[in-house]
Amino acid sequence: MTTPSADSELADLLLELRLEQSDRWDEGERISTEELLERLPQLKGDEEAVVELAYAEFYLRTARGETPAPAEYYARFPEQRARLERLFELHAVLESPAITSDDVLGTLYRLYRVPVLRAKIDDREFLRRDVAERPMTLGRDSECDFVLDAPAVSRRHARVWLEGHHVWLEDLRSTNGTFVNGKPVQRCRLDPGDRIRIGRVRLKLEYQKREDAVATSGS
């Protein structure tokens, strides 16, 4: 584990490298991220440092009117592909002429966090699932994606899905209805922390860090 002073020293070093790279590009010398890493091999094993330097080069090129392809960076830095994909997607949103604050916040949530539904009966959690773009059905039927075997739950009670940056919930003409934060709903957008009631089942929408969601999905 790094200490605060070590983190500060690394941040200063990365800033110095980025400034040097920018200055040398201004002078016509296109020094690459790989050349910087060769000079400081201790950074090669630091994923955050590699990602930061690779993205800094990408941004340097776009600021000079180039249109570098993300695929080039995935090929050059295959071990950092997942993190670079998130940065490039966020970069595309930030560069959009029609950007809104909702776009930025939604993209940040989607890139770094996963929407997760947690189900409880009598304060006992019995199911947890990630929410994806494919609609997920909730109900008593064994063929539902999210089986809620409890009183007052219809066979196919409701469905939930991810659309863009938001999670949506729709009641499927259930007998006893679907409630969000105590109010009956037919179809609504869910926000983090919203509480859903389907019969005796209580569900809650949360956003977990991607690594945490992967570790707990399907539990």
Side-chain angles (χ1 to χ4, degrees), residues 73-158:
Y73 287 83
Y74 303 152
R76 288 167 58 187
F77 306 99
E79 294 182 1
Q80 287 75 36
R81 174 168 182 152
R83 297 186 66 174
L84 285 171
E85 284 179 340
R86 299 179 196 176
L87 278 175
F88 291 151
E89 185 170 347
L90 180 58
H91 177 91
V93 171
L94 292 173
E95 292 297 307
S96 170
I99 185 174
T100 66
S101 59
D102 187 61
D103 291 330
V104 176
L105 292 174
T107 301
L108 283 170
Y109 252 115
R110 186 161 56 86
L111 292 179
Y112 293 100
R113 293 184 176 267
V114 175
V116 175
L117 266 186
R118 303 174 62 181
K120 292 183 177 182
I121 292 182
D122 299 330
D123 294 326
R124 178 182 61 85
E125 182 173 306
F126 67 94
L127 202 56
R128 184 184 309 191
R129 290 283 187 274
D130 295 356
V131 180
E133 293 181 355
R134 183 183 70 83
M136 179 172 65
T137 56
L138 298 82
R140 284 190 299 105
D141 196 305
S142 61
E143 294 185 1
C144 286
D145 302 288
F146 209 121
V147 179
L148 307 177
D149 189 9
V153 177
S154 298
R155 292 177 60 81
R156 295 182 73 255
H157 197 110

Side-chain angles (χ1 to χ4, degrees), residues 138-182:
L138 298 82
R140 284 190 299 105
D141 196 305
S142 61
E143 294 185 1
C144 286
D145 302 288
F146 209 121
V147 179
L148 307 177
D149 189 9
V153 177
S154 298
R155 292 177 60 81
R156 295 182 73 255
H157 197 110
R159 65 174 184 159
V160 64
W161 71 96
L162 182 66
E163 185 175 310
H165 308 316
H166 302 293
V167 175
W168 289 83
L169 172 72
E170 182 179 27
D171 183 84
L172 299 177
R173 297 182 179 180
S174 65
T175 302
N176 295 297
T178 300
F179 297 80
V180 175
N181 299 326

Side-chain angles (χ1 to χ4, degrees), residues 174-195:
S174 65
T175 302
N176 295 297
T178 300
F179 297 80
V180 175
N181 299 326
K183 298 180 180 179
V185 299
Q186 178 57 43
R187 175 188 169 107
C188 72
R189 193 184 87 183
L190 297 176
D191 293 319
D194 277 351
R195 298 179 182 277

Side-chain angles (χ1 to χ4, degrees), residues 34-95:
E34 288 87 346
E35 290 176 271
L36 294 175
L37 292 171
E38 283 297 328
R39 210 174 72 199
L40 294 165
Q42 68 269 29
L43 295 182
K44 288 184 178 181
D46 190 317
E47 184 177 19
E48 289 189 12
V50 175
V51 169
E52 182 170 340
L53 290 173
Y55 177 72
E57 182 195 298
F58 176 87
Y59 186 82
L60 195 62
R61 293 172 65 183
T62 60
R64 284 161 171 71
E66 297 182 35
T67 53
E72 174 194 331
Y73 287 83
Y74 303 152
R76 288 167 58 187
F77 306 99
E79 294 182 1
Q80 287 75 36
R81 174 168 182 152
R83 297 186 66 174
L84 285 171
E85 284 179 340
R86 299 179 196 176
L87 278 175
F88 291 151
E89 185 170 347
L90 180 58
H91 177 91
V93 171
L94 292 173
E95 292 297 307

